[in-house]
Amino acid sequence: MPSPPETINERHDELVRMLRAARPQPSEQLRERVQMLATTAAPPRRPRFELRRAVPVLAAALLVAAVAAAAIGVGSRDSRVVGGGGEEAVRAPAAPRPAAEKAPPASGSDRGAAPDFVQGRSRGAAAPAPSRRLQDYRAELHVRVRDLDALSSSTARAMRATRSLGGFVVVARYDAPRGDDGDSLLVVRVPVGRVQDAIARFSQLGTIVAQRIDIQDVQQGVNRQDEQIAALRRTVATLERELARTDLTQDERARLRLRLLSARETLRARVAARDETVRRARLATVSLTLTTRNPEELAPKPRGELEQTLRDAVSVLGTILTWLLAALIVAAPFLALAAAGVALERARRRRAERRLLENA
Amino acid sequence: MHAVTSSIFERGRTGAPTFAEAAEAHLADVHAYLVYLTGDRAVAEELTAATFERALRSWRRFDPRRGSARTWLCQVARSTALDHLRGEARRRRREDVYAALEPREHAAPLADDLSPALDAALRSLSAADREVIALRVLLELDSSTAARLLGISPTACSTRLNRALQRLEEKMRDAVAA
């Protein structure tokens, strides 16, 4: 359907009428030729790519990808629970487990055992037994007691228990500002061989609502320090032998003395550091929190699967959008250059066409 | 009207015309446009046939939502004509001396019913002028459609049309006076 003609200057009406009256007509041969052409089957029109239609499809694809990624995330979380990792401990009530299962690996100076966080209502706490290797042993216990009276007496009992086990109190804080609720915090150090007894006694003060055990193997570090100390001792001995010679010049003797002094100083520092590490490894740090509050107020409520899935989906979507934005920022200058190139090429082609038609 | 196989005239499911429908409906428009653009009826006949061959090959790319079949066919025709004119320009450059000396054959009038003065005046215009006259006067396209086809703004299109018609009138007066 032709578009409605727009007004052409009235001055040219006569000319326009003459031109329209003498419109060129195609010859019969041309008509037949085109009709012959039209009888051949025209190829079907190809559907065109349209951004308007593509956007909802892309959005849906992104959503599906995010949900899939979240589902994979849920799957992997579940597998961690099955595998007995930290999250299992968070959800399951504390249950005694064989000490060997929880013991740190025999080697490795990094955190040997994954932090263990136990939350439950059982009265017994399962603390991994310290091995014969040197370890940095830290435990954290949250114990709920009945009331403020129990809080006070339990705090005192915990301090007595610490001393009876050969340990000492590093921090003691008692806080019962008003009402029926109160807390007390004790940070104690006990010999590492008695830490299981300490945890067992602390757990009897009330109901364990949370427990966290963190063990770092320091044996390798101490072994390295021992090797360095031995090497330094050999160096000192060698230097002392050298200095005992009588054929040394004054300069040589002075240099050897300096080296000997430096080696002895280093040896002293290394020995002190090693002793400090060993001393620390002989004592375990136990942080005991006694409280009258409900466990729900203390521990974060575990998230439901749906909430977690939604959080994962939002997180994945956020990541995707971040990447898309980053890609856009990186590509923007190139896109702008490409657009400018296309525009220039189009303008050049138009100019060439105009010249061609004006000269034809 | 010539008989054409009925199936060719079946309308597509989208409501868009079939190629046969478009060819039948717009053959005269495309031809008239090409006659004015090239200034040569014989060449225009060839280019019209070539346009529809090219259009048939590209028919799957025609999208009725982006413009009418007539406009699309005119775009194909323009592209075909520009290719032809470029080839002619190259040929003339190659055969510069010969072309300059070559006696121009007396061409047939652009249209049978065209007065000799108007025919001569039209031939003396540039192809660009004749093109805008063809689109706006003969095919009666509105200025925005014609502008889009020419790759210029509607204002520039109107200006170009007025100037072309002005020149045509002047040439006509000169021809009559002579």
Side-chain angles (χ1 to χ4, degrees):
Chain A
M1 192 74 182
S3 308
E6 287 181 2
T7 317
I8 299 171
N9 198 325
E10 288 174 3
R11 287 188 304 140
H12 308 300
D13 275 356
E14 180 60 20
L15 190 57
V16 167
R17 192 190 54 74
M18 285 166 66
L19 288 168
R20 284 180 180 158
R23 188 181 155 122
Q25 293 298 325
S27 66
E28 282 303 309
Q29 290 89 339
L30 178 61
R31 283 187 186 282
E32 282 169 14
R33 209 169 148 184
V34 172
Q35 277 166 4
M36 283 289 288
L37 202 63
T39 52
T40 8
R45 272 193 297 279
R46 189 169 49 195
R48 297 181 69 86
F49 173 79
E50 280 188 46
L51 192 62
R52 268 186 312 177
R53 289 186 179 186
V55 164
V57 174
L58 276 174
L62 270 177
L63 193 65
V64 168
V67 169
I72 290 166
V74 169
S76 58
R77 267 203 319 279
D78 289 346
S79 68
R80 284 202 301 274
V81 169
V82 170
E87 295 210 7
E88 179 193 14
V90 168
R91 289 169 191 187
R97 278 183 281 176
E101 187 188 334
K102 301 287 294 291
S107 63
S109 61
D110 294 335
R111 293 278 164 192
D116 190 6
F117 194 81
V118 177
Q119 178 187 341
R121 289 178 172 76
S122 68
R123 293 190 67 84
S131 77
R132 290 182 180 178
R133 296 172 63 82
L134 292 170
Q135 293 171 331
D136 182 8
Y137 196 115
R138 291 168 191 273
E140 195 179 326
L141 276 169
H142 290 259
V143 176
R144 183 171 176 265
V145 293
R146 201 174 52 254
D147 50 27
L148 284 176
D149 291 340
L151 179 69
S152 175
S153 63
S154 296
T155 306
R157 278 170 61 196
M159 291 167 82
R160 280 199 300 274
T162 302
R163 289 186 196 107
S164 71
L165 290 168
F168 55 93
V169 177
V170 180
V171 175
R173 192 163 62 225
Y174 184 89
D175 188 20
R178 64 179 187 281
D180 298 331
D181 287 331
D183 311 284
S184 77
L185 170 70
L186 288 178
V187 179
V188 303
R189 302 211 70 195
V190 292
V192 77
R194 314 290 299 274
V195 67
Q196 277 188 304
D197 290 343
I199 290 171
R201 287 201 200 178
F202 293 159
S203 65
Q204 285 166 4
L205 297 173
T207 307
I208 296 176
V209 290
Q211 175 183 332
R212 182 188 181 92
I213 306 236
D214 194 1
I215 300 169
Q216 184 181 8
D217 188 87
V218 294
Q219 184 68 57
Q220 274 198 341
V222 171
N223 291 347
R224 268 200 305 275
Q225 284 174 322
D226 282 342
E227 287 164 13
Q228 289 167 353
I229 288 165
L232 280 167
R233 283 189 173 135
R234 284 195 296 274
T235 305
V236 168
T238 308
L239 289 170
E240 284 171 345
R241 275 199 305 278
E242 286 287 313
L243 273 172
R245 284 167 53 188
T246 53
D247 56 341
L248 294 174
T249 63
Q250 287 296 323
D251 284 350
E252 285 171 339
R253 194 171 293 279
R255 275 201 300 274
L256 282 172
R257 277 198 182 120
L258 275 176
R259 282 180 61 193
L260 180 61
L261 279 173
S262 169
R264 280 178 177 158
E265 194 57 38
T266 310
L267 177 62
R268 234 189 326 271
R270 290 280 156 82
V271 169
R274 177 197 172 279
D275 291 349
E276 174 63 16
T277 307
V278 171
R279 192 182 63 76
R280 290 183 70 83
R282 283 191 186 131
L283 292 171
T285 305
V286 181
S287 170
L288 172 66
T289 305
L290 295 164
T291 182
T292 58
R293 300 176 204 282
N294 288 325
E296 289 76 18
E297 295 174 44
L298 296 170
K301 203 174 174 180
R303 287 173 187 157
E305 283 295 321
L306 179 64
E307 186 189 351
Q308 189 61 45
T309 303
L310 284 174
R311 281 173 185 275
D312 287 349
V314 169
S315 164
V316 169
L317 267 179
T319 309
I320 291 170
L321 287 175
T322 306
W323 277 103
L324 281 177
L325 189 63
L328 195 65
I329 289 168
V330 170
F334 300 105
L335 289 175
L337 275 176
V342 167
L344 281 173
E345 171 58 22
R346 187 172 290 178
R348 189 197 62 77
R349 205 174 59 234
R350 296 277 184 219
R351 274 199 304 276
E353 282 175 4
R354 199 170 60 233
R355 273 200 304 274
L356 184 69
L357 290 173
E358 278 167 2
N359 297 328
Chain B
M1 193 56 56
H2 298 265
V4 183
T5 314
S6 62
S7 64
I8 303 301
F9 287 96
E10 283 173 7
R11 199 161 272 272
R13 283 181 186 176
T14 56
T18 62
F19 177 74
E21 283 175 322
E24 188 193 358
H26 306 304
L27 170 61
D29 286 339
V30 171
H31 175 257
Y33 170 53
L34 285 169
V35 167
Y36 269 52
L37 184 55
T38 59
D40 190 318
R41 278 175 77 175
V43 169
E45 293 258 321
E46 281 306 308
L47 290 182
T48 305
T51 295
F52 280 97
E53 281 169 18
R54 193 186 271 199
L56 177 63
R57 284 198 301 274
S58 314
W59 184 245
R60 63 174 64 182
R61 280 191 280 174
F62 165 59
D63 184 354
R65 287 165 299 188
R66 299 179 65 172
S68 70
R70 184 167 72 146
T71 310
W72 184 75
L73 286 169
C74 283
Q75 278 169 338
V76 178
R78 186 171 200 263
S79 177
T80 308
L82 285 170
D83 286 348
H84 167 79
L85 292 173
R86 279 191 207 100
E88 280 294 297
R90 277 197 298 273
R91 187 184 68 80
R92 274 203 297 273
R93 274 200 300 275
R94 276 200 308 272
E95 304 164 3
D96 209 6
V97 179
Y98 173 76
L101 299 173
E102 187 181 23
R104 289 184 73 88
E105 288 178 19
H106 179 72
L110 295 182
D112 290 336
D113 300 330
L114 215 53
S115 69
L118 187 51
D119 182 64
L122 273 171
R123 285 178 189 283
S124 66
L125 293 180
S126 70
D129 285 345
R130 286 197 304 268
E131 182 182 30
V132 75
I133 290 171
L135 293 174
R136 294 283 279 115
V137 176
L138 294 190
L139 273 61
E140 299 180 35
L141 293 182
D142 62 279
S143 81
S144 63
T145 307
R148 201 165 58 244
L149 214 151
L150 296 171
I152 56 177
S153 69
T155 312
C157 181
S158 295
T159 307
R160 190 182 285 186
L161 174 68
N162 281 328
R163 285 179 184 163
L165 288 173
Q166 184 67 39
R167 273 194 282 270
L168 185 61
E169 265 186 355
E170 285 166 10
K171 301 271 184 189
M172 274 273 287
R173 274 200 299 272
D174 292 349
V176 170

